[in-house]
Amino acid sequence: MKAIVVSRFGDESVLEYKDAPVPEPGDHEVRVRLYAVGVNPVETYIRAGQYANKPSLPYTPGNDGAGVVDKTGPGVTKAAVGDRVFIAAAVAKRNTGTYAEMAVCDEDAVQTLPDGVSFREGAGLGTPGLAAAYSLFTRARAIPGDTVLVHGATGGVGTLSVQLARRAGMRVFGTAGDADGKKLVKDIGAHRVFNRKEDGYTDRIMEATGGAGVDVILEMMANANLVKDLAMLAHNGRVVVIGNKGSVELNPRDIMSKEAAVLGMIVNRMPRRAFVATMAILSAGLESGMKVIVNQTLPLKEASHAHALIASNRAPGKVILETDS
């Protein structure tokens, strides 16, 4: 099969398109013939050698994808050969990720892909969807009626967070960086959308809550926004840090005075029970019409270009790779 193989850590040029062995599924594992692959920021950090838990070399990157179950290992009960599925946060036990024509993963990491959902959309759901649902429901413990601010609502995690919160009966605010982004976030279900580049946007968010503040903030860029987030929280409010690119200086009294909580999350450290529950949430979301916003699709052999696009952080939605299978 064809796959992307990384033999040394470095820039996008280390992503080589070459022949690789077809992986075999073990106990409670499935093999999926992939037609589309999701590209995530974390994969660029790992490739560059900037991630704490680096894989041994060589390895095939990738956590997410969509395709058809090709083979099952002993003990598998949740999938059958021929099933259309999406893969979320694949467990690459043998350094065989999803940037390939075939991938092996734990059966818990695959979920049925509804017939009306394309492989491209399914490939863009996995890691961003897990991050969105885990942050919202498990970490923040958001409930119907809560006011939720998705701070950075145009990206893969943000667009799914908006839709999940709206479907759960929450009042949903989002931020975007331009008029097109605002329209996108509004179209997918946010009640109010604010331009984070405009002076005074946090004041307008507070005005929209009647001065009470927001109950939950899902934060994609904590180093830039966390201090502002704490000022916008309601009493007993919660901020979940999903993304961050640097350090931040804050006054702990901003947390103390509101009896607030700042919570972290990492998808690959989700407890198994939470992982299984979150996969069910994502499947239900797809069945009820939740959209995965795909920005650009490239051939698998252009993975280096995809990583460059992710690093530029300019476009909303997901970058997807397609195989020749």
Side-chain angles (χ1 to χ4, degrees):
M1 70 172 185
K2 292 293 186 181
I4 299 297
V5 178
V6 174
S7 299
R8 59 185 174 85
F9 298 112
D11 62 18
E12 294 90 348
S13 66
V14 304
L15 297 166
E16 297 181 273
Y17 182 72
K18 58 197 304 184
D19 291 321
V22 175
E24 289 295 325
D27 290 351
H28 298 284
E29 293 181 337
V30 300
R31 187 172 71 197
V32 178
R33 179 176 291 278
L34 294 166
Y35 295 101
V37 178
V39 181
N40 297 297
V42 67
E43 291 140 23
T44 69
Y45 309 148
I46 295 170
R47 180 217 73 226
Q50 298 172 349
Y51 200 67
N53 297 318
K54 293 187 287 291
S56 58
L57 297 169
Y59 77 99
T60 291
N63 298 281
D64 306 332
V68 176
V69 175
D70 171 75
K71 187 175 182 179
T72 61
V76 170
T77 60
K78 297 180 179 180
V81 172
D83 286 353
R84 297 178 80 250
V85 297
F86 68 88
I87 298 174
V91 180
K93 293 180 178 178
R94 294 176 296 281
N95 286 357
T96 57
T98 57
Y99 287 26
E101 292 178 329
M102 291 189 180
V104 164
C105 61
D106 290 347
E107 63 175 321
D108 286 340
V110 299
Q111 191 79 24
T112 300
L113 187 68
D115 289 338
V117 180
S118 70
F119 289 126
R120 291 180 181 182
E121 293 172 294
L125 179 63
T127 297
L130 288 175
Y134 182 51
S135 298
L136 186 66
F137 299 113
T138 302
R139 299 299 288 145
R141 298 181 184 272
I143 60 174
D146 276 350
T147 298
V148 175
L149 170 64
V150 181
H151 210 164
T154 59
V157 178
T159 53
L160 294 169
S161 297
V162 167
Q163 295 176 83
L164 289 169
R166 182 64 188 260
R167 279 168 167 73
M170 300 166 196
R171 187 183 185 202
V172 186
F173 295 168
T175 65
D178 55 33
D180 289 341
K182 287 182 67 176
K183 182 179 185 304
L184 168 65
V185 177
K186 183 70 173 178
D187 288 347
I188 59 175
H191 293 93
R192 295 285 302 274
V193 188
F194 304 86
N195 188 332
R196 66 178 181 273
K197 295 182 179 179
E198 292 180 355
D199 291 339
Y201 81 93
T202 58
D203 295 332
R204 287 187 282 278
I205 291 173
M206 289 299 293
E207 291 169 4
T209 69
V214 296
D215 300 299
V216 173
I217 298 178
L218 303 185
E219 180 53 68
M220 313 301 163
M221 192 66 69
N223 57 295
N225 301 318
L226 185 56
V227 172
K228 300 173 188 175
D229 293 342
L230 295 175
M232 291 188 286
L233 279 181
H235 186 73
N236 288 327
R238 294 86 74 199
V239 179
V240 182
V241 176
I242 299 172
N244 180 66
K245 288 189 177 180
S247 60
V248 59
E249 183 176 340
L250 56 84
N251 186 343
R253 288 193 179 277
D254 293 335
I255 301 172
M256 296 163 60
S257 63
K258 295 180 178 180
E259 297 185 288
V262 178
L263 305 158
M265 62 76 61
I266 297 179
V267 165
N268 62 13
R269 291 188 179 177
M270 291 174 63
R272 180 181 179 277
R273 185 173 181 178
F275 183 91
V276 172
T278 303
M279 288 289 282
I281 289 171
L282 297 181
S283 181
L286 287 180
E287 291 172 354
S288 65
M290 185 172 70
K291 303 296 183 185
V292 179
I293 309 300
V294 176
N295 176 269
Q296 191 162 350
T297 303
L298 299 166
L300 178 63
K301 65 181 66 176
E302 295 186 23
S304 59
H305 185 195
H307 274 216
L309 287 172
I310 291 291
S312 71
N313 196 31
R314 293 176 183 171
K318 290 288 298 181
V319 176
I320 300 298
L321 298 171
E322 287 188 317
T323 70
D324 294 327
S325 297

